[in-house]
Amino acid sequence: MFSNVFPHPYVDILRLFDKDASKLELSGDASAAIDKTIGKKVYAIKGITPAHNYVALPKGGPSSLGLGLGSPLLYLQLRIQPGTPFTIHLDLTTDKKFVHRVSISNRYTAIKRYGSTVQLPCPQALLQTAGRWAVLALDLPAIGRAVFPMADGEYSSLKGITACATMSLRAAFISET
């Protein structure tokens, strides 16, 4: 979807959707708002049920064409709420055209694999920032090497991001550095 718009050194993924909000999906108690602390536009997700309260980039989920952004590093600026569940889903494509979902959540206590979905526990450092703005940096090829079967290939691109339940998402950047 956006593979031809890569301005170096990074792509502000949320800004791509500001131009065409019809490609972004807000579900349940999720809305765009101005955060009182930082005075910037954020996507606030207030409901506690991840299946019904989320922001999906792009709209349509894993079956859509996807973002098609191939840079290795993903940065998410977010604020999680203390003591409430949250989940972040990343749909990653391999060079052999397999799509894997990597889910990061404070609901998981151990790494588990279910078919093409891998559940990863939330990093402790992120949990310690609950209630404050933080940046979660993810090395997508390293995650891919750790959780994809070798037969499925190497990480190729980011297909989609879904932020679920009780968090605010300020920015999503993908970068070469």
Side-chain angles (χ1 to χ4, degrees):
M1 176 186 290
F2 295 112
S3 58
N4 60 343
V5 296
F6 194 87
H8 291 284
Y10 64 85
V11 173
D12 182 344
I13 298 170
L14 290 180
R15 185 167 290 168
L16 295 174
F17 290 94
D18 282 345
K19 296 174 184 170
D20 189 359
S22 68
K23 292 183 176 10
L24 174 124
E25 183 176 358
L26 297 173
S27 178
D29 196 2
S31 62
I34 301 296
D35 184 80
K36 293 177 185 174
T37 305
I38 60 174
K40 300 287 184 182
K41 178 181 175 184
V42 301
Y43 289 97
I45 310 162
K46 296 180 182 171
I48 62 169
T49 308
H52 299 292
N53 303 286
Y54 60 86
V55 175
L57 312 164
K59 187 176 197 174
S63 64
S64 70
L65 290 175
L67 296 170
L69 297 172
S71 292
L73 302 173
L74 175 66
Y75 300 94
L76 300 173
Q77 185 181 14
L78 50 89
R79 181 178 59 204
I80 60 174
Q81 301 303 318
T84 59
F86 72 91
T87 305
I88 301 165
H89 301 295
L90 306 173
D91 296 320
L92 307 178
T93 306
T94 69
D95 57 357
K96 294 185 179 179
K97 306 299 181 206
F98 286 96
V99 177
H100 292 275
R101 174 164 275 193
V102 176
S103 297
I104 302 167
S105 179
N106 62 347
R107 298 174 25 215
Y108 310 141
T109 57
I111 297 173
K112 293 182 185 171
R113 183 179 173 91
Y114 299 100
S116 63
T117 299
V118 176
Q119 298 175 341
L120 301 175
C122 178
Q124 191 62 33
L126 181 61
L127 294 176
Q128 293 171 351
T129 67
R132 299 179 311 213
W133 286 100
V135 175
L136 176 62
L138 300 166
D139 182 341
L140 300 177
I143 292 171
R145 283 188 298 276
V147 299
F148 299 164
M150 291 293 272
D152 288 357
E154 297 275 329
Y155 165 79
S156 173
S157 65
L158 176 65
K159 185 172 182 174
I161 303 170
T162 305
C164 306
T166 63
M167 75 168 68
S168 294
L169 181 64
R170 162 70 180 102
F173 295 95
I174 193 158
S175 176
E176 296 284 334
T177 57

